[in-house]
């Protein structure tokens, strides 16, 4: 590129009328080793702009962003799943309560009624015999009780004698 | 959009978004965090991406708005100052490196003296290589505003450079 071209481009540049391609040509010229002294004053600007363009994020940046996106995704899933899980738990508890304590419980199965009639004595003799047997049983129980009472009383008397 | 498409279509704009955020916040850590936030926003709103014509400009616009929010927040005001990123072009020796840092500091100082909109337009055009339409989208400006801001910014820089060159010679 001739000095005249550079001068024209620089004029256009400072007037704010250059295209991106023309600006790239200027940047390229000022990156070179042989800059005409007439344009030396502008070299620091183009070098500075180029150095600024080299500023970049660390190579681990992508990984950091992707892991943040991943954790964000998990959080979102949790935010959706957790309320649903709570609702499901409440429904399960309600269903459980209904299962354990039904509103209209099944009536307990009736105990088979005893047919007392089959034990009814049919004749007077049978009635007297059963009554006699029942009274004898009662008498024997009563006798046993009085014997026990007498023996226990004897023990008390012996114990009382010690304190006399 | 799945993660693979996200990696192919959205992640490649990360450095441009980072530089914009860095220039606005002045902190590399803050800028990186901000870029992550931008991408999370884009991911969470990926259903709306179908209507977006220029993902790069869209991401940069989100970054600009987030940076403005952060600069206004109390969180930002309580943060301690951070060392700025040191720019280094490909130079041969420590002497050249020191000289270059000095020169870059001068240019940065010239740029920082520009009104904010002038500087932003010039940076988006001359560092990021954005078209006028894209600059309009990122900065929410009209085409005439972009052209005027760019013209004024470059004129101011030209005068400052000539002045600097004159004082050095």
């Amino acid at each position: 590129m001739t000095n005249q071209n550079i001068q024209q481009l620089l004029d256009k540049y400072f007037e704010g009328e250059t295209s991106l391609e023309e600006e790239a040509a200027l940047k390229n010229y000022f990156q070179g080793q042989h800059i005409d002294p007439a344009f030396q004053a502008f070299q620091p600007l183009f070098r500075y702009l180029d150095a600024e363009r080299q500023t970049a994020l660390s190579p681990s940046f992508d990984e950091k962003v992707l892991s943040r996106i991943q954790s964000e995704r998990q959080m979102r899933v949790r935010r959706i799943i957790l309320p649903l899980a709570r609702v499901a738990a409440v429904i399960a508890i309600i269903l459980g309560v209904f299962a354990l304590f039904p509103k209209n419980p099944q009536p307990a199965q009736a105990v088979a009624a005893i047919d007392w009639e089959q034990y009814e004595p049919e004749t007077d003799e049978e009635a007297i015999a059963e009554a006699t047997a029942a009274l004898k049983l009662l008498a024997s129980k009563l006798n046993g009780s009085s014997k026990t009472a007498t023996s226990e009383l004897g023990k008390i008397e012996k114990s009382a004698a010690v304190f006399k | 959009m799945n993660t693979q498409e996200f990696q192919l279509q959205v992640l490649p704009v990360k450095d441009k978004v980072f530089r914009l955020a860095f220039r606005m916040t002045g902190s590399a850590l803050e800028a990186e965090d901000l870029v992550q936030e931008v991408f999370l926003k884009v991911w969470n709103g990926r259903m709306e991406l179908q209507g977006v014509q220029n993902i790069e400009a869209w991401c940069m616009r989100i970054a600009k708005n987030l940076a403005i929010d952060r600069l206004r927040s109390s969180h930002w005001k309580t943060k301690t100052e951070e060392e700025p990123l040191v720019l280094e072009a490909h130079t041969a020796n420590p002497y050249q490196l020191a000289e270059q840092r000095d020169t870059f500091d001068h240019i940065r100082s010239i740029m920082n003296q520009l009104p904010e909109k002038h500087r932003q337009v010039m940076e988006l055009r001359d560092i990021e290589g954005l078209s006028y339409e894209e600059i309009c989208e990122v900065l929410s400006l009209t085409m005439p505003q972009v052209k005027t801001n760019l013209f004024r910014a470059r004129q101011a820089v030209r005068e400052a450079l000539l002045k600097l060159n004159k004082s050095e010679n």
Side-chain angles (χ1 to χ4, degrees):
Chain A
M1 213 178 324
T2 64
N3 280 2
Q4 199 184 349
N5 291 143
I6 300 298
Q7 188 60 60
Q8 280 172 352
L9 276 185
L10 272 174
D11 290 343
K12 270 184 89 176
Y13 172 80
F14 286 115
E15 290 296 318
E17 288 171 0
T18 37
S19 66
L20 284 169
E21 290 74 27
E22 288 169 327
E23 286 161 20
L26 272 177
K27 285 169 194 167
N28 196 39
Y29 169 76
F30 282 107
Q31 283 307 310
Q33 293 297 316
H34 306 290
I35 310 297
D36 192 278
F39 312 126
Q40 207 79 51
F42 307 115
Q43 190 190 30
L45 172 67
F46 288 96
R47 290 260 169 110
Y48 167 82
L49 296 173
D50 186 63
E52 277 276 347
R53 217 171 5 258
Q54 308 304 319
T55 310
L57 280 158
S58 63
S60 62
F61 178 81
D62 289 13
E63 219 171 281
K64 283 185 204 167
V65 168
L66 291 172
S67 90
R68 271 187 79 172
I69 283 173
Q70 192 61 34
S71 63
E72 185 91 350
R73 263 174 151 184
Q74 286 166 350
M75 291 278 284
R76 279 200 158 197
V77 169
R78 266 183 228 148
R79 277 202 290 268
I80 295 165
I81 297 273
L82 213 64
L84 288 178
R86 282 184 187 144
V87 170
V90 169
I91 290 169
I93 289 167
I94 292 167
L95 288 176
V97 167
F98 272 101
L100 284 173
F101 308 105
K103 201 175 172 186
N104 298 314
Q106 279 291 94
Q109 218 167 15
V111 177
I114 300 168
D115 182 15
W116 290 107
E117 276 193 17
Q118 62 178 318
Y119 301 109
E120 278 296 305
E122 286 177 0
T123 61
D124 291 347
E125 286 78 21
E126 270 181 29
I128 290 167
E130 279 187 21
T132 308
L135 287 171
K136 271 186 182 172
L137 181 68
L138 180 67
S140 72
K141 294 285 178 193
L142 283 174
N143 280 340
S145 301
S146 64
K147 275 178 193 165
T148 310
T150 310
S151 85
E152 292 301 318
L153 200 62
K155 283 179 192 173
I156 291 168
E157 278 174 352
K158 277 180 191 171
S159 307
V162 175
F163 298 105
K164 280 182 181 172
Chain B
M1 176 182 274
N2 57 31
T3 45
Q4 207 176 358
E5 287 165 335
F6 184 81
Q7 278 177 278
L8 287 172
Q9 294 170 30
V10 182
L11 281 184
V13 307
K14 64 186 175 184
D15 289 329
K16 283 191 180 188
V17 179
F18 171 70
R19 287 193 291 267
L20 173 71
F22 175 63
R23 286 193 296 267
M24 288 185 76
T25 63
S27 157
L29 290 175
E30 190 77 19
E32 182 175 334
D33 189 60
L34 198 142
V35 184
Q36 285 192 26
E37 202 180 329
V38 169
F39 286 150
L40 277 181
K41 268 184 180 286
V42 173
W43 172 259
N44 291 335
R46 60 193 181 281
M47 298 305 174
E48 301 159 29
L49 271 179
Q50 286 164 343
V52 175
Q53 289 187 338
N54 189 327
I55 289 177
E56 183 180 283
W58 198 56
C59 288
M60 290 177 87
R61 186 177 176 157
I62 296 173
K64 183 208 71 178
N65 292 335
L66 283 176
I68 291 170
D69 288 346
R70 286 196 185 194
L71 290 169
R72 282 177 186 159
S73 75
S74 53
H75 151 79
W76 175 254
K77 283 167 192 158
T78 56
K79 276 182 85 76
T80 51
E81 294 250 329
E82 192 187 319
E83 280 289 304
L85 276 189
V86 177
L87 299 178
E88 286 170 14
H90 306 291
T91 46
N93 59 50
Y95 173 75
Q96 279 180 314
L97 202 69
E99 196 180 34
Q100 192 178 63
R101 276 183 192 170
D102 210 29
T103 311
F104 285 176
D105 283 345
H106 278 303
I107 307 293
R108 189 178 288 113
S109 157
I110 292 170
M111 298 288 286
N112 287 339
Q113 281 169 29
L114 296 173
E116 195 187 1
K117 278 281 173 282
H118 293 189
R119 181 178 52 78
Q120 284 182 328
V121 171
M122 188 170 165
E123 285 168 345
L124 289 179
R125 178 70 179 188
D126 290 343
I127 297 171
E128 309 306 346
L130 263 56
S131 67
Y132 293 138
E133 290 79 9
E134 287 171 325
I135 298 171
C136 290
E137 194 179 335
V138 175
L139 298 179
S140 311
L141 295 174
T142 62
M143 186 66 82
Q145 283 173 325
V146 167
K147 288 186 173 175
T148 308
N149 282 321
L150 184 65
F151 168 76
R152 288 184 182 159
R154 283 179 178 170
Q155 284 292 317
V157 170
R158 180 175 178 269
E159 277 175 32
L161 286 172
L162 290 172
K163 207 170 152 186
L164 184 71
N165 191 50
K166 207 173 171 184
S167 66
E168 280 176 355
N169 291 329

